[in-house]
Coordinates of all heavy atoms in Angstrom, one line a residue:
S7 N -12.2 16.2 -38.3 CA -13.0 16.3 -37.1 C -12.9 15.0 -36.3 O -12.9 13.9 -36.9 CB -14.5 16.5 -37.5 OG -14.7 17.7 -38.2
G8 N -12.7 15.1 -35.0 CA -12.6 14.0 -34.1 C -11.9 14.4 -32.9 O -11.3 15.5 -32.8
P9 N -11.9 13.6 -31.8 CA -11.2 14.0 -30.5 C -9.7 14.0 -30.6 O -9.1 13.1 -31.0 CB -11.7 12.9 -29.6 CG -12.0 11.7 -30.4 CD -12.5 12.3 -31.8
A10 N -9.1 15.2 -30.2 CA -7.7 15.3 -30.1 C -7.1 14.6 -28.9 O -6.0 14.2 -28.9 CB -7.2 16.7 -30.2
Q11 N -7.9 14.5 -27.8 CA -7.6 13.7 -26.7 C -8.7 12.7 -26.4 O -9.8 13.0 -26.4 CB -7.4 14.6 -25.5 CG -6.8 13.9 -24.2 CD -6.5 14.9 -23.1 OE1 -7.4 15.4 -22.4 NE2 -5.2 15.2 -22.9
T12 N -8.2 11.5 -26.1 CA -9.2 10.4 -25.9 C -8.6 9.4 -25.0 O -7.6 9.6 -24.4 CB -9.6 9.8 -27.3 OG1 -10.6 8.8 -27.1 CG2 -8.4 9.1 -27.9
C13 N -9.3 8.3 -24.8 CA -8.9 7.2 -23.8 C -8.7 5.9 -24.5 O -9.4 5.6 -25.5 CB -10.0 7.1 -22.7 SG -10.3 8.7 -21.8
E14 N -7.9 5.1 -23.9 CA -7.5 3.8 -24.6 C -8.6 2.8 -24.7 O -8.5 1.9 -25.5 CB -6.3 3.2 -23.9 CG -6.5 2.8 -22.4 CD -5.3 2.2 -21.8 OE1 -4.6 1.4 -22.4 OE2 -5.1 2.4 -20.6
D15 N -9.6 3.0 -23.9 CA -10.7 1.9 -24.0 C -11.9 2.4 -24.9 O -12.9 1.7 -25.0 CB -11.3 1.7 -22.6 CG -12.0 2.9 -22.0 OD1 -11.6 4.0 -22.4 OD2 -12.9 2.7 -21.2
L16 N -11.7 3.5 -25.6 CA -12.8 4.0 -26.4 C -12.7 3.6 -27.9 O -11.6 3.2 -28.4 CB -12.9 5.5 -26.3 CG -13.2 6.1 -24.9 CD1 -13.2 7.6 -25.0 CD2 -14.5 5.6 -24.3
T17 N -13.8 3.8 -28.6 CA -13.9 3.7 -30.1 C -14.3 5.1 -30.5 O -15.3 5.6 -30.1 CB -14.9 2.6 -30.5 OG1 -14.4 1.3 -30.1 CG2 -14.9 2.6 -32.0
D18 N -13.5 5.7 -31.5 CA -13.8 7.0 -31.9 C -14.0 7.1 -33.4 O -13.5 6.2 -34.2 CB -12.7 8.0 -31.5 CG -12.6 8.2 -30.0 OD1 -13.7 8.3 -29.4 OD2 -11.5 8.3 -29.4
G19 N -14.6 8.2 -33.9 CA -14.8 8.4 -35.3 C -14.0 9.7 -35.7 O -13.9 10.7 -34.9
F20 N -13.4 9.6 -36.9 CA -12.7 10.8 -37.5 C -13.2 11.0 -38.9 O -13.5 10.0 -39.6 CB -11.2 10.6 -37.5 CG -10.6 10.5 -36.1 CD1 -10.6 9.3 -35.4 CD2 -10.2 11.6 -35.4 CE1 -10.0 9.2 -34.2 CE2 -9.7 11.5 -34.1 CZ -9.6 10.3 -33.5
S21 N -13.4 12.2 -39.3 CA -14.0 12.5 -40.7 C -13.5 13.8 -41.2 O -13.0 14.6 -40.5 CB -15.5 12.4 -40.6 OG -16.0 13.5 -39.8
I22 N -13.7 13.9 -42.5 CA -13.4 15.2 -43.2 C -14.6 15.5 -44.1 O -15.4 14.6 -44.5 CB -12.1 15.1 -44.1 CG1 -12.2 14.0 -45.0 CG2 -10.9 15.1 -43.2 CD1 -11.1 14.0 -46.1
A23 N -14.7 16.7 -44.5 CA -15.7 17.0 -45.5 C -15.3 16.4 -46.9 O -14.1 16.4 -47.2 CB -15.9 18.6 -45.7
P24 N -16.2 16.0 -47.7 CA -15.9 15.4 -49.0 C -15.0 16.4 -49.8 O -15.3 17.6 -49.8 CB -17.2 15.2 -49.6 CG -18.2 15.0 -48.5 CD -17.7 15.9 -47.4
V25 N -14.0 15.9 -50.5 CA -13.2 16.7 -51.3 C -13.7 16.6 -52.8 O -13.9 15.5 -53.3 CB -11.7 16.3 -51.3 CG1 -10.8 17.1 -52.2 CG2 -11.2 16.4 -49.8
S26 N -13.9 17.8 -53.4 CA -14.4 17.9 -54.8 C -13.4 17.1 -55.7 O -12.2 17.3 -55.7 CB -14.5 19.3 -55.2 OG -14.9 19.4 -56.6
G27 N -13.9 16.2 -56.5 CA -13.2 15.4 -57.5 C -12.5 14.2 -56.9 O -12.0 13.4 -57.7
A28 N -12.6 14.0 -55.6 CA -11.9 12.8 -55.0 C -12.8 11.6 -55.2 O -14.1 11.7 -55.1 CB -11.7 13.0 -53.5
T29 N -12.2 10.5 -55.5 CA -12.9 9.2 -55.6 C -12.7 8.3 -54.5 O -13.4 7.3 -54.3 CB -12.6 8.5 -57.0 OG1 -11.1 8.3 -57.0 CG2 -13.0 9.4 -58.2
S30 N -11.6 8.5 -53.8 CA -11.3 7.7 -52.6 C -10.4 8.5 -51.6 O -9.9 9.5 -52.0 CB -10.7 6.3 -52.9 OG -9.4 6.6 -53.5
Y31 N -10.3 7.9 -50.4 CA -9.4 8.6 -49.4 C -8.6 7.5 -48.7 O -9.0 6.4 -48.5 CB -10.3 9.2 -48.3 CG -11.3 10.2 -48.9 CD1 -12.5 9.8 -49.4 CD2 -10.9 11.6 -49.0 CE1 -13.4 10.8 -50.0 CE2 -11.8 12.5 -49.5 CZ -13.0 12.1 -50.0 OH -13.9 13.0 -50.5
T32 N -7.3 7.8 -48.4 CA -6.4 6.9 -47.8 C -6.0 7.5 -46.4 O -5.5 8.6 -46.3 CB -5.1 6.7 -48.6 OG1 -5.5 6.1 -49.8 CG2 -4.2 5.8 -47.8
W33 N -6.4 6.8 -45.3 CA -6.1 7.2 -44.0 C -4.9 6.5 -43.5 O -4.7 5.3 -43.7 CB -7.3 6.9 -43.0 CG -8.5 7.6 -43.3 CD1 -9.5 7.3 -44.3 CD2 -9.0 8.8 -42.7 NE1 -10.5 8.3 -44.3 CE2 -10.2 9.2 -43.3 CE3 -8.5 9.6 -41.6 CZ2 -10.9 10.3 -42.9 CZ3 -9.2 10.7 -41.2 CH2 -10.4 11.0 -41.8
T34 N -4.0 7.2 -42.8 CA -2.9 6.6 -42.1 C -3.0 6.9 -40.6 O -3.3 8.0 -40.2 CB -1.5 7.1 -42.6 OG1 -1.5 8.5 -42.5 CG2 -1.4 6.7 -44.1
V35 N -2.6 5.9 -39.8 CA -2.8 6.1 -38.3 C -1.5 5.6 -37.6 O -0.8 4.8 -38.2 CB -4.0 5.3 -37.8 CG1 -5.3 5.9 -38.3 CG2 -3.9 3.8 -38.1
P36 N -1.2 6.0 -36.4 CA 0.0 5.6 -35.7 C -0.2 4.1 -35.3 O -1.3 3.6 -35.2 CB 0.0 6.5 -34.4 CG -1.0 7.5 -34.6 CD -2.0 7.0 -35.6
T37 N 0.9 3.5 -35.0 CA 0.9 2.2 -34.4 C 0.2 2.2 -33.1 O 0.4 3.1 -32.3 CB 2.4 1.7 -34.1 OG1 3.1 1.7 -35.4 CG2 2.4 0.3 -33.5
G38 N -0.7 1.3 -32.9 CA -1.6 1.2 -31.7 C -3.0 1.7 -32.0 O -3.8 1.6 -31.1
V39 N -3.2 2.4 -33.1 CA -4.5 2.8 -33.6 C -5.0 1.8 -34.6 O -4.3 1.5 -35.6 CB -4.6 4.2 -34.1 CG1 -6.0 4.6 -34.5 CG2 -4.1 5.2 -33.0
N40 N -6.2 1.3 -34.5 CA -6.7 0.3 -35.4 C -7.9 0.8 -36.1 O -8.9 1.3 -35.5 CB -7.1 -1.0 -34.6 CG -6.1 -1.5 -33.6 OD1 -5.0 -1.8 -34.0 ND2 -6.4 -1.4 -32.3
I41 N -7.9 0.8 -37.5 CA -9.0 1.3 -38.3 C -10.0 0.1 -38.3 O -9.7 -0.9 -38.9 CB -8.6 1.7 -39.7 CG1 -7.6 2.9 -39.6 CG2 -9.8 2.1 -40.5 CD1 -7.1 3.4 -40.9
L42 N -11.2 0.3 -37.7 CA -12.2 -0.7 -37.7 C -13.1 -0.7 -39.0 O -13.5 -1.7 -39.4 CB -13.1 -0.5 -36.5 CG -12.4 -0.5 -35.1 CD1 -13.4 -0.3 -34.0 CD2 -11.6 -1.9 -34.9
S43 N -13.3 0.5 -39.5 CA -14.2 0.6 -40.7 C -13.9 2.0 -41.3 O -13.4 2.9 -40.7 CB -15.6 0.5 -40.3 OG -16.1 1.5 -39.5
G44 N -14.2 2.1 -42.6 CA -14.2 3.4 -43.3 C -13.0 3.7 -44.2 O -13.0 4.7 -44.8
Q45 N -12.0 2.8 -44.2 CA -10.8 3.1 -45.0 C -11.3 3.2 -46.5 O -12.1 2.4 -47.0 CB -9.8 2.0 -44.9 CG -8.5 2.2 -45.7 CD -7.7 3.4 -45.2 OE1 -8.0 4.5 -45.6 NE2 -6.6 3.1 -44.5

Side-chain angles (χ1 to χ4, degrees):
S7 297
Q11 188 175 73
T12 185
C13 300
E14 62 180 321
D15 66 330
L16 297 182
T17 298
D18 290 321
F20 296 88
S21 63
I22 56 169
V25 177
S26 178
T29 56
S30 66
Y31 302 86
T32 298
W33 294 82
T34 56
V35 294
T37 301
V39 179
N40 312 298
I41 299 176
L42 303 178
S43 63
Q45 182 65 282

